[in-house]
Amino acid sequence: MDKSRREREIRRYETILESLDDAVYAVRPDGTIAYVNDRYAEMKGASREELIGSQIYDWVTEEAAAKVTQVRRETEASDRDAGSVEYEFLTADGERFPVEIRFTRFGDDNGEDGEPLDRVGVIRDVSERKRREEALRRKNERLEEFASIVSHDLRNPLNVATGWLDLAREECDSEHLDHVTRAHERMNSLIDDLLTLARDGEGIDETDRVPLRELVEACREGVEFVEPCREGVDTADATLRVDTDRVVRADRSRLRQMIENIVRNSVEHGGAGVTITVGDVDGGFFVADDGHGIPATDRENVFETGYSTTDDGTGFGLAIVESVAAAHGWEVRVTDSADGGARLEFTGVDVLD
């Protein structure tokens, strides 16, 4: 009965191991392979019969063997049973791709039929993750270069033009100069939004506990952030209503920037007397207004950079909103508010209270 029960247990564990999408292996103290699952054989490009009984290091590169050996030594020296390392996996055909291995030492435990095992490991193909990391690295490099161009190559000529405009005003009084002033102001707004978009495209390293009520009321009353939501847009007649007591984990300054842009967008499109409401949704919060709303046909485009339905809009406000949400790992979608205006819902938020 004990033997039958043990055999059933073994078959059950083997079924579990075979169902994994990761490669699993077990090695004896002499370095020979005692077990591999089908996924390991598939990744290696060899049969299980070829692998079992062979030396584990016969199937890896010298660099990979050195890496794994070093981590094993460090693990044993620190009396830890588990370790992990990334290296290039070598197939039977000589192809290579990045993997992450996590292994555990067996100690004095025995394998099947009393056969001693030294360690077991799980290997995961991380090619897709590496591609995403490389794409993100290239994107951040382009953003840094772009921000440098914007802040220097565009701002400096604009400052020179503004200086010449001031001199021109001393010599003559013309309504044409007012048009030049407004053009300069618009260019400054575009540069500011471009720099914000470039900055908010970067990842977030640190987050804080941020009470939404406190943040939104600070935007309205100027208690904590010196009226950040009023800066650059007339919200004197706008109403901000807070229907949430949630605390979220976020980058405080970027969340402030996001709320500011939503308020500015609501006022620009809904009028100075618009009412803006912040409330709860499952897994996050929403910001809604009672303005004119966003037509369903435009909702796929509103987050695109440069997209605007007004002549004086920069077209970066909601692009910045989406960028901040994405940096937090949040999802954002546009829908109708209860009052017929626009409603932005943020989900996937780390809600603390």
Side-chain angles (χ1 to χ4, degrees), residues 30-143:
D30 63 359
T32 58
I33 300 173
Y35 170 82
V36 295
N37 67 350
D38 284 340
R39 177 56 176 156
Y40 187 101
E42 178 187 348
M43 287 173 60
K44 186 62 68 174
S47 68
R48 296 175 69 175
E49 290 74 20
E50 291 178 277
L51 292 164
I52 293 175
S54 65
Q55 281 286 330
I56 185 71
Y57 287 127
D58 288 345
W59 298 93
V60 302
T61 65
E62 291 183 3
E63 295 85 354
K67 273 189 174 184
V68 175
T69 300
Q70 179 64 27
V71 173
R72 284 180 58 205
R73 288 172 179 169
E74 294 172 356
T75 302
E76 293 169 0
S78 61
D79 291 329
R80 291 184 289 117
D81 291 330
S84 64
V85 63
E86 292 186 2
Y87 66 93
E88 282 197 325
F89 191 86
L90 179 67
T91 71
D93 294 333
E95 295 183 8
R96 302 186 184 193
F97 55 88
V99 298
E100 178 185 58
I101 176 176
R102 296 181 180 274
F103 62 86
T104 301
R105 292 189 299 144
F106 253 71
D108 296 329
D109 291 338
N110 290 328
E112 185 179 356
D113 297 329
E115 182 183 27
L117 294 177
D118 179 66
R119 65 189 183 277
V120 296
V122 178
I123 301 175
R124 173 166 296 180
D125 184 347
V126 294
S127 301
E128 184 59 33
R129 191 191 79 193
K130 291 294 185 181
R131 281 192 288 269
R132 290 196 302 268
E133 290 175 352
E134 178 61 20
L136 180 61
R137 184 190 64 79
R138 291 196 300 267
K139 177 183 177 182
N140 286 339
E141 286 181 352
R142 291 195 298 270
L143 285 172

Side-chain angles (χ1 to χ4, degrees), residues 138-155:
R138 291 196 300 267
K139 177 183 177 182
N140 286 339
E141 286 181 352
R142 291 195 298 270
L143 285 172
E144 290 176 8
E145 181 181 1
F146 174 70
S148 175
I149 292 173
V150 169
S151 61
H152 183 270
D153 295 356
L154 293 182
R155 187 82 78 182

